[in-house]
């Protein structure tokens, strides 16, 4: 399986990092080894001094597809949760400045904790999904799917032009505003529609 991550998908977050507004979804990938099993701590890596959390809705692909039309996209995902796109912001800034790829800043081991999946059809209002993350008991980020620049369906149509999507692949759909640094000792709790779906300790 693979993990596809969309960047710059919420206006307020694009502005907080002083990035340009994308005209189409931009994406990068993380490997399967970026997943963090429930109960395992996130180990603060020794190659960065500035690890940021980015709290994101995560879709799970349920059917293999290529060149998927936007109208057909809902047939290709059936489950959703919340995850963290951990980012070594210091390394990412260096990559951006040099025009280098982002993998060292984004794809490292444990950089993709993902919560327990829920069936999308069982959500109250699939067009209006609320999510968030508490850091040490206080809200650090809160978002809603209605604020995305590119919808789930647009993302799937775009990504599948380039990359075949397969059953079990995950798509991180971008972070709302409020990204920030984590510290050793932090406890991060992820919420989907008010229900906790994952918690992780930074060690
Ligand atoms: Mg992200």
């Amino acid at each position: 399986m693979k993990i596809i991550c969309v960047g710059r998908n919420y206006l307020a977050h694009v502005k907080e990092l002083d990035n340009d507004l994308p005209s189409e979804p931009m994406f990068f990938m993380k490997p399967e080894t970026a997943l963090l099993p429930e109960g395992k701590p996130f180990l603060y890596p020794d190659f960065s001094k500035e690890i940021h959390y980015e709290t994101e809705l995560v879709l799970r692909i349920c059917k293999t597809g290529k060149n998927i039309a936007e109208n057909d996209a809902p047939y290709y995902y059936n489950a959703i949760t919340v995850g963290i796109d951990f980012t070594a912001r210091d390394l990412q800034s260096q990559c951006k400045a040099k025009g280098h790829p982002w993998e060292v800043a984004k794809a490292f081991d444990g950089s993709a904790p993902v919560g327990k999946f829920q069936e999308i059809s069982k959500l109250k209002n699939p067009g209006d999904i609320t999510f968030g993350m508490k850091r040490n008991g206080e809200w650090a980020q809160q978002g809603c799917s209605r604020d995305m620049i590119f919808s789930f369906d647009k993302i799937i149509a775009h990504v599948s032009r380039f990359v075949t999507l397969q059953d079990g692949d995950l798509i991180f759909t971008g972070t709302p505003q409020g990204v920030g640094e984590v510290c050793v000792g932090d406890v991060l709790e992820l919420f989907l529609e008010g229900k906790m779906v994952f918690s992780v300790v930074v060690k």
Side-chain angles (χ1 to χ4, degrees):
M1 60 80 69
K2 54 191 175 289
I3 304 166
I4 289 158
C5 304
V6 173
R8 303 179 190 170
N9 202 22
Y10 288 80
L11 186 57
H13 170 65
V14 173
K15 286 185 175 164
E16 77 182 345
L17 290 191
D18 208 15
N19 285 321
D20 294 331
L21 205 59
S23 56
E24 51 185 22
M26 59 91 80
F27 67 93
F28 55 91
M29 291 200 257
K30 294 181 190 248
E32 192 171 351
T33 44
L35 293 174
L36 189 67
E38 173 90 75
K40 285 262 161 69
F42 172 75
L43 300 175
Y44 203 107
D46 60 5
F47 49 74
S48 173
K49 291 191 164 48
E50 193 187 9
I51 297 290
H52 273 200
Y53 53 78
E54 297 187 358
T55 309
E56 312 196 3
L57 288 170
V58 181
L59 299 177
R60 190 169 66 200
I61 297 296
C62 59
K63 189 171 149 179
T64 295
K66 168 87 181 157
N67 288 319
I68 299 165
E70 197 179 320
N71 284 344
D72 293 333
Y75 298 111
Y76 289 82
Y77 60 94
N78 61 2
I80 191 161
T81 190
V82 182
I84 300 180
D85 166 19
F86 275 124
T87 303
R89 195 71 74 200
D90 46 357
L91 298 187
Q92 188 193 29
S93 299
Q94 295 166 20
C95 293
K96 282 183 182 173
K98 292 178 186 161
H100 287 178
W102 290 5
E103 271 75 2
V104 293
K106 287 284 198 181
F108 52 89
D109 289 353
S111 63
V114 169
K116 190 169 183 289
F117 278 91
Q118 319 284 317
E119 276 180 58
I120 291 187
S121 60
K122 293 206 173 137
L123 296 181
K124 267 181 279 161
N125 185 355
D128 219 5
I129 302 167
T130 59
F131 65 104
M133 188 269 283
K134 283 184 182 176
R135 178 178 174 227
N136 303 324
E138 308 260 335
W139 284 113
Q141 280 192 286
Q142 286 179 282
C144 180
S145 61
R146 91 173 88 85
D147 297 324
M148 293 189 305
I149 297 170
F150 301 107
S151 66
F152 298 151
D153 298 348
K154 274 209 164 64
I155 291 168
I156 284 177
H158 179 75
V159 172
S160 70
R161 284 178 61 204
F162 303 92
V163 180
T164 298
L165 295 176
Q166 293 170 300
D167 189 12
D169 288 348
L170 304 183
I171 302 184
F172 278 65
T173 58
T175 182
Q177 69 193 106
V179 301
E181 275 189 67
V182 292
C183 301
V184 171
D186 280 354
V187 178
L188 310 180
E189 297 169 311
L190 304 178
F191 293 84
L192 178 69
E193 302 266 70
K195 256 187 16 198
M196 192 165 77
V197 291
F198 196 82
S199 74
V200 60
V201 178
V202 180
K203 278 196 175 166

